[in-house]
Amino acid sequence: MKKIVLPNGLNVSEVALGAMMFGTTTSKKDAYAALDLYVDMGGNFIDTSNNYAHWAGTGDESETLLGEWLQERGCRDRIVLATKVGYDRHGKGAGLKKEQIEYWIDESLRKLKTDYIDLYYAHTDDFNTPIDETMETFHQLVKKGKVRTLGASNYDTWRLAEANVAAESKGWTPYSVHQQSFSYLHPKFGAAPKYRFNELVNRERLRFLCAKNMPLVSYSCLCKGAYENPDRLPHEYEGGARLDYLRSMAAEKGVAPSALVIAWLANLHRCEGFPRVIPLFSASPTHMKQNLAGLELSLTDEELTMMNQI
């Protein structure tokens, strides 16, 4: 797996591994198998949160399991570790106030058995807290060495811009990575997201990120298996001709449709108006190998253009 040097200096693999369900619906044995395979295949970018997966447990399971795995494998210095703060945990913990961020970073460090986080995300925007309070608190974590760099997830584009303008005007650390739901299929116009700020990425947001040289980590990029099984297509996405074209092209190339999606995402920055995109997904070892086969595909400029125009 190739490595990418991000604008913030992090050297990450071109695909990130999501650990959302590790320790809850994904057993320790299966999680370790996925983690070991991902690293063996050259991956180093692992994504979790301080509330994964509270709907299936307490919200501590993913970070705790990752901390145990990192300690047992002795590989912390080879992993770029991302976690998050700001979302709800069983009715508490939501928000980006100073005291909340300071409390949860220490909890994450404890569970992950480390003394620093490589990439710390605001998991979602918080309109009830002044931007300056949030950004200054994050900056202090960077100054203390608890966090190397910052990212924002589930933000409206204009709020992401405002947060960075505020940070840069005060000499604070800005957000340098954006994480949002993005895939090959087009979102339905007007489809409401489950939560207030996790809108699907549109072309306007992609142009903004490209202009700001800010990479996009794309979660839910495989549409819950819909590329292999259209019956699983989330309600907020359009299927139709774009899905049909992708499946036909994948068959011609002899790969799974999801592998072609990974190839498209990893190469999208070659097209005008698109930022660097890092696909983020979780999978069993079998499906991980199948999906990562997309990184071996060579897509021509003409093929990328055609995929974009459908």
Side-chain angles (χ1 to χ4, degrees):
M1 214 180 301
K2 295 177 184 176
K3 296 297 189 298
I4 302 162
V5 180
L6 301 182
N8 54 31
L10 291 180
N11 195 338
V12 303
S13 50
E14 55 189 332
V15 167
L17 178 64
M20 178 186 289
M21 305 311 299
F22 288 2
T24 49
T25 58
T26 300
S27 70
K28 181 175 180 178
K29 177 182 177 181
D30 289 345
Y32 272 44
L35 288 160
D36 291 341
L37 176 62
Y38 173 71
V39 171
D40 287 345
M41 294 184 73
N44 74 338
F45 193 13
I46 299 176
D47 183 274
T48 187
S49 174
N50 75 323
N51 73 332
Y52 288 164
H54 76 96
W55 54 93
T58 67
D60 301 308
E61 289 85 357
S62 177
E63 287 187 326
T64 298
L65 184 146
L66 283 175
E68 293 170 351
W69 176 79
L70 288 166
Q71 187 175 71
E72 291 177 28
R73 299 297 188 260
C75 62
R76 175 66 187 95
D77 62 335
R78 303 194 302 276
I79 298 299
V80 177
L81 188 59
T83 192
K84 312 179 189 76
V85 62
Y87 254 133
D88 174 71
R89 289 170 47 102
H90 295 291
K92 63 179 182 179
L96 296 172
K97 297 185 184 301
K98 180 177 186 289
E99 60 270 20
Q100 291 171 310
I101 294 171
E102 290 178 341
Y103 174 79
W104 287 111
I105 184 61
D106 288 340
E107 284 293 288
S108 289
L109 292 171
R110 177 182 62 81
K111 287 180 287 182
L112 289 163
K113 300 183 187 300
T114 185
D115 56 5
Y116 69 99
I117 300 300
D118 295 288
L119 173 58
Y120 200 40
Y121 287 103
H123 203 167
T124 186
D125 198 0
D126 176 11
F127 261 86
N128 297 315
T129 300
I131 286 177
D132 279 8
E133 178 180 341
T134 296
M135 299 310 294
E136 182 178 14
T137 304
F138 277 138
H139 176 66
Q140 292 302 319
L141 298 186
V142 175
K143 286 187 64 177
K144 292 175 182 177
K146 293 183 177 183
V147 171
R148 291 180 64 191
T149 192
L150 301 174
S153 180
N154 299 304
Y155 266 61
D156 287 343
T157 308
W158 67 277
R159 285 282 290 180
L160 176 59
E162 282 196 343
N164 273 0
V165 167
E168 290 164 358
S169 70
K170 302 289 180 63
W172 299 332
T173 308
Y175 295 132
S176 56
V177 178
H178 184 47
Q179 185 177 133
Q180 201 82 8
S181 181
F182 179 57
S183 191
Y184 177 67
L185 296 179
H186 289 313
K188 291 179 180 177
F189 181 78
K194 183 177 180 180
Y195 300 106
R196 184 178 180 188
F197 301 115
N198 64 345
E199 302 280 355
L200 302 180
V201 170
N202 60 18
R203 293 296 180 99
E204 182 272 340
R205 188 186 299 252
L206 292 169
R207 290 192 295 271
F208 169 82
L209 295 174
C210 182
K212 298 300 182 182
N213 194 29
M214 186 181 297
L216 171 67
V217 176
S218 59
Y219 71 82
S220 299
C221 65
L222 298 181
C223 286
K224 301 181 179 179
Y227 293 108
E228 277 67 45
N229 180 2
D231 291 338
R232 302 186 65 178
L233 184 66
H235 78 279
E236 62 266 30
Y237 281 104
E238 300 279 3
R242 196 166 169 93
L243 179 55
D244 292 342
Y245 182 81
L246 177 94
R247 290 168 64 82
S248 174
M249 184 176 178
E252 290 178 4
K253 290 183 173 293
V255 297
S258 289
L260 183 53
V261 173
I262 296 299
W264 178 77
L265 290 167
N267 285 279
L268 198 52
H269 64 283
R270 291 164 46 193
C271 304
E272 184 179 358
F274 291 91
R276 166 68 75 172
V277 179
I278 300 172
L280 165 65
F281 66 89
S282 187
S284 67
T286 298
H287 286 132
M288 189 182 302
K289 290 180 180 179
Q290 173 182 284
N291 296 339
L292 292 181
L295 298 178
E296 304 301 319
L297 285 180
S298 296
L299 296 178
T300 66
D301 291 344
E302 291 75 18
E303 287 174 325
L304 283 170
T305 298
M306 189 62 188
M307 291 181 74
N308 291 342
Q309 289 179 346
I310 290 295

